[in-house]
Amino acid sequence: MIEDNFRHKGLRKKLVKEIAEKGIRSAQVLSAVEEVPRHIFFESSFLEFAYEDKPFPIGFGQTISQPYTVAFQSELLQVEKGMKVLEIGTGSGYQACILSHMGAKVFSIERHRSLYLRSKENIRDLGYRAKCFYGDGFEGLPTFAPFDRIIVTAAAPFVPEKLLEQLKPGGIMVIPVEAGGYQIMHSYHKQVDGSFETHTHGQFRFVPMLANKDNNKT
Ligand code: SAH
């Protein structure tokens, strides 16, 4: 049973105020952060950290992204209801729930089998319909392509060509690209002629995007 009480709701309101003060403007994004319970992605002993604007370990060397970062990427995506959105790096499943709450049809890939299994369950328990896949995000999801939007939530060593290919003309991909110990957030806007307009949006820090599935080892 998921408990989401007045205290949690109050903490979320505070968090929304905090990320709005840091520059998040989209009402759609702010209302998703206000509605999606982030604490269910935390083990009970760490609940008090769920509504701080910080990343937090979720096991296997991975983290649930900082709420501000989740909101920032979600805002850059300019999601509209019904859009097909591909996420690389399901992690906890929190970002997938935020995008689902915004009305996106989410497809999310995770290379860690244990995280894939756990996030799938959390997403389902919250009643969201994001589809989860255990696989390698560098490959994208050719079977379900093309996508209106693609969001990469791990530090990409380069911009994967296959992901750019799986974007619809008029589509947007948001991806943190490695720049030597930190990443620069990029957005790629695919034009009707297949070319790209790119923008950069400052420095962020993510865990690395690694090739291949973990095969239950790493
Ligand atoms: N979006 C997540 C944050 C995830 S952290 C959230 O809301 O919690 C980044 C995740 O990307 C980690 O879980 C990591 O295992 C995963 N990852 C790294 N490389 C990957 C790849 N090539 N394909 C899919 N997932 C990958």
Side-chain angles (χ1 to χ4, degrees):
M1 244 301 271
I2 292 166
E3 200 204 342
D4 189 30
N5 61 33
F6 279 110
R7 190 172 152 264
H8 298 129
K9 291 190 170 93
L11 290 170
R12 282 206 293 284
K13 271 203 178 2
K14 232 177 99 214
L15 176 63
V16 164
K17 197 163 164 266
E18 198 177 332
I19 61 175
E21 276 162 9
K22 290 180 182 169
I24 303 300
R25 289 283 165 266
S26 158
Q28 188 196 19
V29 171
L30 292 172
S31 99
V33 174
E34 186 160 342
E35 295 297 327
V36 178
R38 190 168 183 261
H39 65 273
I40 75 122
F41 300 95
F42 286 63
E43 288 176 27
S44 55
S45 44
F46 298 121
L47 278 184
E48 75 259 38
F49 298 104
Y51 295 110
E52 290 188 2
D53 189 22
K54 289 185 184 146
F56 199 82
I58 53 171
F60 312 99
Q62 307 306 322
T63 56
I64 179 171
S65 302
Q66 180 179 350
Y68 172 76
T69 306
V70 171
F72 188 83
Q73 287 195 284
S74 303
E75 188 165 73
L76 286 177
L77 273 186
Q78 301 174 31
V79 170
E80 290 165 27
K81 279 207 167 61
M83 279 185 167
K84 273 169 71 183
V85 179
L86 173 64
E87 178 190 29
I88 310 302
T90 320
S92 66
Y94 177 66
Q95 172 80 73
C97 290
I98 291 285
L99 294 170
S100 301
H101 196 91
M102 290 165 67
K105 288 187 195 129
V106 180
F107 299 75
S108 188
I109 311 177
E110 173 54 54
R111 70 177 287 280
H112 254 289
R113 187 165 170 80
S114 321
L115 289 175
Y116 154 74
L117 292 170
R118 198 205 294 162
S119 57
K120 193 163 124 156
E121 203 171 309
N122 282 337
I123 291 168
R124 196 203 48 211
D125 288 353
L126 281 176
Y128 291 110
R129 292 217 189 93
K131 289 189 175 61
C132 296
F133 299 83
Y134 170 48
D136 178 4
F138 281 100
E139 300 297 322
L141 273 182
T143 327
F144 295 90
F147 296 95
D148 297 287
R149 302 288 186 260
I150 299 179
I151 174 173
V152 177
T153 68
F158 55 86
V159 180
E161 198 58 43
K162 286 182 182 164
L163 296 184
L164 291 173
E165 278 167 15
Q166 291 175 28
L167 199 56
K168 281 185 195 169
I172 303 173
M173 173 157 87
V174 173
I175 179 168
V177 184
E178 190 54 50
Y182 61 92
Q183 298 85 47
I184 304 283
M185 193 67 77
H186 282 68
S187 57
Y188 281 74
H189 293 242
K190 195 171 195 167
Q191 312 296 302
V192 277
D193 66 1
S195 66
F196 288 90
E197 198 183 287
T198 63
H199 302 270
T200 56
H201 311 276
Q203 297 184 10
F204 288 83
R205 263 173 225 278
F206 287 82
V207 294
M209 182 174 178
L210 303 171
N212 307 319
K213 293 192 280 191
D214 67 334
N215 292 320
N216 282 325
K217 288 192 196 85
T218 54

